[in-house]
Amino acid sequence: MTTILLAPFMVKALIAAAVTGLASPAVGTYLVQRRLSLMGDGIGHISVTGVALGLLTGTSPTITAVVVAIIGAVAIEALRASGRASGDVALALIFYGGLAGGLMLVSFAGNGALALQSYLFGSITTLSTSDVLVSGGLALVVIALCLTLLPQLFSVANDEDYARTTGLSVPLYNVLVSVLAAVTVSVAMRTVGLLLVSALLVIPVATAQQFARGFRSTMLSAMIAGMLASVTGVVISAYVDVPPGATIVLVALAGFTITAPVGVLLGRRRQATVPFEMPEEPEQQRVLEPHRHQHGPGCGHLAVEHGDHVDYIHDGHRHAVHGGHYDEH
Amino acid sequence: MSTVLEMRGGGVTLGDRPILRAIDLTVEAGDVVALLGANGSGKSTLVRSITGLLPLSAGSARLFGQPIDSFNQWPRLGYVPQRSTIAQGVPATVTEVVAAGRLAHRRAFLPARAADRAAVRDALEAVGLTDRAQHQVSTLSGGQQQRVLIARTLAGAPELLVLDEPNAGVDLVSQQAIADTLERSARAGATIIVVLHELGAFAPFIDRAVVLREGRISYDGSPDGIRMHDPHVHCETNEDPALRVAAPLTGMELP
């Protein structure tokens, strides 16, 4: 029963699935934070031109796809940053240009149209050893950069203006995320295909952020979720005659659907445990700490009406004048 | 005494519209300056030009003796934005957001050192959010989120603190906590430039008020002088709320 999983083509498929599953959500977390969830899709469409160029010229489609995807990703970022087009319009412009260009080029390549299929929908079971090594190497570089530059990339994605005032080069880090996304898409196109690549970047992040509280924990759990979905999808497609790419994406979606109720419950509980912060409850108690001044209108301490008198908020508690001293209220 | 900020004839234009005109402003080390003025008077724009986020279209400005457009002594500058995106998108913990305040001191690719972690802890303690360190930022109240922003900046131990309306939409408890935190920083020798709608809880430690009006400085001096100079700027903590409620009816202007 397990022998099919040990066949060489299957081992290669499983390794490729695991590394793409790990790398995609790592980049995806930054894209989701920057509200560029569909960027992966845009880059996927541009990559069609890259693959077509590879098929036409007889070079490795993976390499041409990486190069063209990087150029496209930087172009999207430049359009967005220059304010010439908003994020989504910038995506759309490049998106369709890349797709149309690729289809045009591939029509010149004769039977290239058939070969293009395996990039559009993935062809994880036909990977060569060098394919796996290249994909694995690129994926490891992506993961390493996503994790080691997490503080900087997080700060830029979380609050761009503030990041600028700590001396971070915001354009540099934004372009880096785009380049990492482009590389990831090119790696993942053999696993799930260019049309579904964005799913692997985004869905595991959506799943993880239902129960994770922090950015790093969201990224790490998304990576695990992405890897589980990818490996599970490949295993299922080994036993049932279904396309691996689509299966991976559906497994990832199933993971999201199953965990959604848990996330809603957790969210409610968290809201309930974090109520409004209330001032210390009034406890009648004479205060001994010295006062530099008499509390009164304009003394600088907030005045709060409290029944028949006025309290002054003082170092986090309330003082009420009583005879020659102050009571805690 | 050394000069922290020196702006000469500073002007900022957004689109085709001049927002700030002929701003002359000098801030010495240890000054605690409140920037006051009505909505749209240019307070936030001035703060954004001081921190290098908006370029000057006229005049010049130097921060710690360095021209602002080539400024790079980032650890000395601490900016607290008014509205922030910290609670949007992917979840983030309070500690993660505050740790971003250490990045001016850190190098890329190197992990946080013990000093970085200690600074984050101290900053959280200073704003009274130690018990919320591992909470998700988006579950905090508006006032607590504002305190997170201040802790983030304090974690960088800056010499100059520039705060843009730290009191906007903030509950009373947080307002007082923020005022106390800044008072301690001021006592410790920090230079503070803070945009405020009214002095409120900040009054005890503000030693200079700068009032903006239609993009120009209309008053620069002791906070006590504001009332006589400009009846529209309040500096008292316990203004009559009834006046504020009635303002739309009586047509009275409020700051």
Side-chain angles (χ1 to χ4, degrees), chain A:
Chain A
M1 186 71 184
T2 56
T3 45
I4 186 174
L5 295 180
L6 296 175
F9 78 92
M10 206 59 204
V11 172
K12 281 185 271 188
L14 286 170
I15 293 172
V19 292
T20 19
L22 276 174
S24 307
V27 182
T29 310
Y30 295 116
L31 295 181
V32 172
Q33 176 67 43
R34 295 185 55 209
R35 294 168 184 276
L36 290 173
S37 295
L38 293 180
M39 176 133 177
D41 217 13
I43 297 173
H45 283 65
I46 302 163
S47 303
V48 174
T49 296
V51 171
L53 269 178
L55 293 174
L56 200 61
T57 57
T59 38
S60 154
T62 307
I63 290 167
T64 50
V66 169
V67 173
V68 172
I70 288 177
I71 294 170
V74 173
I76 293 174
E77 183 54 34
L79 271 175
R80 199 192 63 85
S82 71
R84 276 176 206 282
S86 64
D88 59 336
V89 175
L91 279 177
L93 291 173
I94 306 279
F95 203 104
Y96 298 114
L99 184 57
L103 294 177
M104 177 71 80
L105 283 177
V106 119
S107 72
F108 300 140
N111 64 349
L114 254 167
L116 186 64
Q117 287 262 331
S118 69
Y119 293 92
L120 288 179
F121 302 105
S123 58
I124 197 167
T125 50
T126 60
L127 296 178
S128 69
T129 308
S130 66
D131 283 338
V132 175
L133 287 177
V134 170
S135 302
L138 288 174
L140 285 181
V141 171
V142 168
I143 293 169
L145 284 173
C146 282
L147 292 179
T148 52
L149 288 176
L150 188 138
Q152 286 78 13
L153 290 170
F154 165 71
S155 181
V156 170
N158 183 247
D159 191 341
E160 212 171 277
D161 275 352
Y162 178 75
R164 244 177 254 276
T165 67
T166 57
L168 295 180
S169 170
V170 169
L172 181 79
Y173 284 107
N174 280 340
V175 166
L176 177 65
V177 168
S178 302
V179 170
L180 288 175
V183 173
T184 309
V185 164
S186 311
V187 169
M189 72 180 175
R190 299 300 301 273
T191 317
V192 288
L194 288 172
L195 291 180
L196 288 173
V197 93
S198 200
L200 209 47
L201 268 78
V202 175
I203 296 171
V205 181
T207 307
Q209 68 181 2
Q210 295 185 96
F211 43 85
R213 283 197 289 197
F215 193 83
R216 179 189 295 267
S217 56
T218 301
M219 184 181 287
L220 293 176
S221 10
M223 289 168 72
I224 292 169
M227 187 185 68
L228 285 178
S230 303
V231 171
T232 309
V234 172
V235 170
I236 290 175
S237 71
Y239 293 105
V240 190
D241 185 22
V242 285
T247 315
I248 289 171
V249 174
L250 288 175
V251 169
L253 268 176
F256 175 83
T257 316
I258 292 165
T259 52
V262 183
V264 171
L265 268 175
L266 269 178
R268 272 199 203 132
R269 261 184 50 194
R270 239 172 253 163
Q271 290 293 341
T273 54
V274 186
F276 298 104
E277 199 180 23
M278 295 299 287
E280 298 281 309
E281 259 315 285
E283 214 180 296
Q284 294 281 350
Q285 175 195 346
R286 195 174 160 151
V287 186
L288 291 172
E289 56 190 280
H291 279 72
R292 280 164 294 156
H293 62 277
Q294 196 83 24
H295 283 310
C299 75
H301 289 107
L302 275 174
V304 179
E305 297 225 7
H306 191 218
D308 58 344
H309 62 279
V310 177
D311 288 343
Y312 291 90
I313 295 186
H314 188 95
D315 289 339
H317 42 250
R318 297 195 290 185
H319 284 178
V321 190
H322 184 240
H325 62 273
Y326 293 98
D327 281 337
E328 285 282 5
H329 275 196

